[in-house]
Amino acid sequence: QAAGPLAGKKAIVTSGPTHEPIDPVRYIANRSSGKQGHAIARALAALGAEVTLVSGPTREPDPAGVKTVPIESARDMLAACEAALPADIVVCAAAVADWRVASAADQKMKKEAGALPPLQLTENPDILKTLSQKTDGRPALVIGFAAETEKVVEHATAKRARKGCDWILANDVSPATGTFGGDSNTIHLVTESGTEDWPAMTKTEVGKRLAARIAEHFQTGHSV
Ligand code: C5P
């Protein structure tokens, strides 16, 4: 039996990129490393939570003491999250592809002289929004990320309302912060009651601070 301030709480964390198939050998993807999502999953487990990590393809090792569910596409990620419900805590740290190819080919598309494949895109499901807006069995605390380069808190506050989630970790990725390609993140935590500005710290430290903040949230009685 797990010990710690989050013992008895169930958490779902999404991490990594998604891969959206074009045909059996090609896909659309992005450069997400999965470092932040995996760090959050590890930190929640360290505080005693029962964690399901739904992750796209990454180079990160599966965290010990966490149930890792590997997926590829956004639709698979949503289905795996739904299958892991009910949960008390959801943290959506994945970089989900906004679009997928409307009808992926069953066979490898052949290169034909002078002809380009007509790739019709369609919108992917928004996992954070879908889980936030559940009317039945909504997790008590749903948390998303926002990467912003300007008006960070203003944009994150608008995103919080648009998605219907409880907290947004706004990540200042403007060039001055060195976040892109660097190891440190500069976070502003936007909640119902305002904004907390965190100092620059590593992704591991962001995971630990978020897990501690979540534990504090449940301890101070905001459990619904
Ligand atoms: O709308 P935007 O992609 O900027 O929102 C970022 C937040 O929404 C992140 O928490 C991300 O994990 C989540 N998201 C999601 N499903 C999508 C798109 C974004 O869960 N299809």
Side-chain angles (χ1 to χ4, degrees), residues 168-214:
I168 286 272
L169 277 86
N171 200 359
D172 187 347
V173 296
S174 58
T177 63
T179 296
F180 267 153
D183 251 348
S184 83
N185 268 356
T186 309
I187 299 282
H188 306 272
L189 174 64
V190 178
T191 74
E192 184 190 28
S193 43
T195 307
E196 297 169 23
D197 302 318
W198 295 0
M201 59 183 88
T202 64
K203 290 178 179 178
T204 300
E205 288 167 340
V206 169
K208 286 182 181 166
R209 180 143 175 176
L210 179 63
R213 188 65 185 75
I214 290 171

Side-chain angles (χ1 to χ4, degrees), residues 1-9 43-50 211-212 215-216 218-219:
Q1 193 64 45
L6 290 176
K9 298 278 186 240
L44 289 170
L47 295 191
E50 182 188 331
E216 182 194 312
F218 282 107
Q219 270 155 9

Side-chain angles (χ1 to χ4, degrees), residues 14 92-98 124-128 143-146 159 163:
T14 72
C92 290
V96 181
D98 292 314
N124 262 333
D126 189 317
I127 294 147
L128 175 61
I143 303 170
F145 273 80
K159 183 163 292 185
K163 303 269 191 180

